[in-house]
Amino acid sequence: QVQLVESGGGSVQPGGSLRLSCAASGSFFTTGTMAWYRQGQGNERELVASCTSDGRPNYADSVKGRFAISRDKATNAVYLEMNSLKPEDTDVYFCYADIYPTPWARRTYWGQGTQVLVSS
C-alpha cells in the first residue's frame, strides 16, 4: 500500500524557518511530480510549490524567493524549505505525489497534512 508520510510542521515566529519532509513508501514503479499544497480553514487547497520528476520547480507567487522545493529520487522524498515565514503562511500543508504503480498507470496520493503556525 502506497503512503505519503509527512513531518516537520510546527510553530515558529515571523521571519523564522521550517523544513517540511514527505516520503513515499510502499511498492511502486516510480514517482512523477511531487508537490506541496496548503489549506486554511474554510479555504480551498492551493498549490505552494511543485517539482517534476526531472527536477523542475514551480512556485506560487506568494512564496517565490522564500520557499524552496527539492526532492530526492533515491528515497522518493520531497522537501519544502520555508524561510522568512509570515503569519499568512499559517495553514495545514499537504504533500502530493503522482505515483506510478506500473509504467503505464498513474495515481495521485496525498499526505495526512502537517500544521504550520507562524505567530509571535
Side-chain angles (χ1 to χ4, degrees):
Q1 183 178 356
V2 177
Q3 293 185 62
L4 297 181
V5 180
E6 304 171 11
S7 61
S11 297
V12 66
Q13 293 187 340
S17 298
L18 283 173
R19 186 177 192 241
L20 305 182
S21 301
C22 172
S25 64
S27 179
F28 50 88
F29 178 69
T30 191
T31 55
T33 294
M34 299 184 79
W36 290 95
Y37 284 73
R38 64 187 181 187
Q39 185 173 23
Q41 200 167 17
N43 296 330
E44 292 187 359
R45 195 168 293 187
E46 63 174 8
L47 177 68
V48 176
S50 64
C51 188
T52 61
S53 58
D54 58 355
R56 285 176 289 130
N58 180 56
Y59 297 97
D61 287 343
S62 59
V63 306
K64 282 180 180 177
R66 300 189 298 123
F67 290 12
I69 190 170
S70 61
R71 57 187 295 175
D72 184 338
K73 291 206 74 177
T75 58
N76 298 304
V78 63
Y79 306 97
L80 187 67
E81 190 75 35
M82 303 185 293
N83 300 309
S84 303
L85 282 161
K86 305 175 181 180
E88 50 264 43
D89 294 318
T90 294
D91 264 332
V92 178
Y93 284 69
F94 294 88
C95 177
Y96 165 98
D98 284 336
I99 292 180
Y100 291 80
T102 65
W104 50 87
R106 179 177 66 90
R107 297 180 185 169
T108 60
Y109 290 86
W110 292 93
Q112 77 279 10
T114 185
Q115 176 71 53
V116 171
L117 175 63
V118 185
S119 174
S120 54

